[in-house]
Amino acid sequence: MADEALFLLLHNEMVSGLYKSAEQGEVENGRCITKLENMGFRVGQGLIERFTKDTARFKDELDIMKFICKDFWTTVFKKQIDNLRTNHQGIYVLQDNKFRLLTQMSAGKQYLEHASKVNFR
Amino acid sequence: MSRPAHRRPEYHKINKDLFVLTYGALVAQLCKDYEKDEDVNKYLDKMGYGIGTRLVEDFLARSCVRRCHSYSEITDIIAQVAFKMYLGITPSVTCNNPSRTEFSLILDKNPLVEFVEELPAGRSSLCYCNLLCGIIRGALEMVHLAADVTFLQDTLKGDRVTEIGITFLKKLDEKKYRRKK
């Protein structure tokens, strides 16, 4: 097991590094979020490959979402998703009331103005 | 539910795969952004420095280590307490010079390269784990110790083990004791 503090700091540095490069160049805000999203995508792909090695095939979309909300989220963030909503037409809303990567920042008012920057994907 | 003020905080662990994969994605993105290996290495070192300056506070708060009296004590603490706490491994320590200012941390198993088979083509001088060097350097600087931290051996470059060399330089703030007249 690795320590959470190290991962949180690594994540903070990654986000701040991306935003600094955005301020220096003419890169729009959207492109750095895409970079962050791409990194997250890679990580997610790798993680899900390892986690679903021995699980049965998923029956449908809802089954997949349930896996993500329960097993995947528990393995990665040590808790389940608090609320899953869907319109049964392909849109799902996952709600986590205490997202582990942001609790340090959201606890007080110090970082309120920067809250919108940390768009974790 | 309110937390009583004196309750010991829980120290959370995360999934190691998440950390290792995130680091890998970061290095991959940096390789895309920068053509030269030196630039990637420098960026990783800079990021590590930023992390190290903050991580040392977390470390000192949680580990309750006593004041160290020598560089070798400090290196031992880095290897046996800090590495164990944050990465779950304990590198061995060797001293490289008789004046005891140069040390090496030997890692038999480097968790950061668990999913890396080999360095990408054309990236032979990439120091994949340079973040670690930056972290150690930043942490030491926050406790007023200047040091040079580099990779001496790297399993990704064909060496048997991973070796991180720490060279302690002159102390950053030298207290000058004034004689009371």
Side-chain angles (χ1 to χ4, degrees):
Chain A
M1 289 300 202
D3 199 83
E4 193 182 43
L6 186 55
F7 180 74
L8 289 178
L9 288 171
L10 176 66
H11 181 241
N12 287 346
E13 283 292 327
M14 282 163 69
V15 173
S16 87
L18 278 172
Y19 271 96
K20 272 205 198 106
S21 68
E23 280 164 25
Q24 284 165 8
E26 293 92 27
V27 182
E28 321 126 20
N29 201 27
R31 222 186 286 176
C32 359
I33 293 184
T34 309
K35 271 192 193 171
L36 196 59
E37 197 170 342
N38 285 340
M39 285 199 260
F41 185 82
R42 258 183 104 114
V43 175
Q45 266 189 322
L47 283 173
I48 213 76
E49 258 179 25
R50 294 178 71 75
F51 294 163
T52 55
K53 230 178 1 173
D54 301 316
T55 49
R57 219 180 163 83
F58 294 114
K59 290 195 296 286
D60 56 16
E61 231 175 50
L62 192 60
D63 217 22
I64 296 175
M65 291 313 297
K66 279 198 210 157
F67 175 82
I68 294 198
C69 295
K70 289 191 189 162
D71 304 308
F72 182 74
W73 217 255
T74 310
T75 316
V76 178
F77 298 114
K78 303 278 180 294
K79 65 185 281 289
Q80 292 188 0
I81 282 278
D82 295 307
N83 200 348
L84 171 68
R85 295 197 296 269
T86 178
N87 65 355
H88 297 290
Q89 281 163 16
I91 298 187
Y92 297 87
V93 180
L94 285 72
Q95 188 174 317
D96 188 334
N97 296 334
K98 209 177 164 195
F99 190 45
R100 285 273 284 273
L101 297 181
L102 294 177
T103 41
Q104 305 255 349
M105 266 194 265
S106 63
K109 293 189 187 153
Q110 192 180 357
Y111 300 107
L112 215 51
E113 58 176 276
H114 296 288
S116 59
K117 284 191 199 164
V118 187
N119 205 340
F120 187 77
R121 301 287 175 155
Chain B
M1 208 157 87
S2 62
R3 244 204 256 175
H6 59 269
R7 187 177 130 182
R8 262 183 87 186
E10 294 156 12
Y11 297 125
H12 295 289
K13 296 286 177 194
I14 52 141
N15 188 290
K16 200 178 219 176
D17 291 346
L18 174 63
F19 181 73
V20 174
L21 286 170
T22 305
Y23 186 68
L26 167 68
V27 178
Q29 183 64 45
L30 290 176
C31 287
K32 255 194 243 165
D33 291 342
Y34 298 104
E35 271 184 37
K36 290 200 198 150
D37 292 346
E38 296 81 50
D39 292 337
V40 180
N41 293 342
K42 227 190 317 181
Y43 193 92
L44 283 173
D45 188 75
K46 203 168 66 133
M47 273 187 89
Y49 180 83
I51 293 173
T53 53
R54 294 176 187 89
L55 196 67
V56 70
E57 288 177 20
D58 181 76
F59 173 70
L60 291 172
R62 283 162 59 177
S63 62
C64 311
V65 289
R66 285 181 304 207
R67 196 185 176 85
C68 293
H69 298 286
S70 69
Y71 293 139
S72 75
E73 261 185 68
I74 292 168
T75 316
D76 283 335
I77 297 243
I78 294 176
Q80 288 157 17
V81 189
F83 265 85
K84 183 93 181 114
M85 194 187 281
Y86 292 111
L87 288 174
I89 53 167
T90 312
S92 49
V93 179
T94 58
C95 184
N96 295 343
N97 71 342
S99 56
R100 301 189 77 75
T101 56
E102 288 177 27
F103 297 88
S104 285
L105 298 171
I106 316 265
L107 287 82
D108 292 319
K109 201 169 83 86
N110 185 354
L112 288 180
V113 305
E114 199 177 320
F115 302 128
V116 182
E117 282 175 9
E118 54 178 17
L119 288 176
R123 291 279 181 189
S124 51
S125 49
L126 176 71
C127 291
Y128 185 84
C129 302
N130 220 28
L131 194 90
L132 291 179
C133 294
I135 291 179
I136 297 173
R137 190 170 62 87
L140 287 172
E141 201 166 298
M142 288 308 279
V143 291
H144 306 294
L145 288 167
D148 255 335
V149 190
T150 50
F151 270 93
L152 300 175
Q153 288 193 77
D154 195 346
T155 46
L156 291 178
K157 294 181 183 164
D159 298 313
R160 202 177 48 83
V161 291
T162 304
E163 186 179 344
I164 301 176
I166 305 178
T167 306
F168 289 96
L169 310 168
K170 209 176 79 154
K171 256 198 179 176
L172 286 179
D173 67 333
E174 288 189 338
K175 285 184 187 168
K176 291 183 180 153
Y177 293 100
R178 285 194 190 155
R179 244 196 237 165
K180 282 186 186 165
K181 284 185 185 168

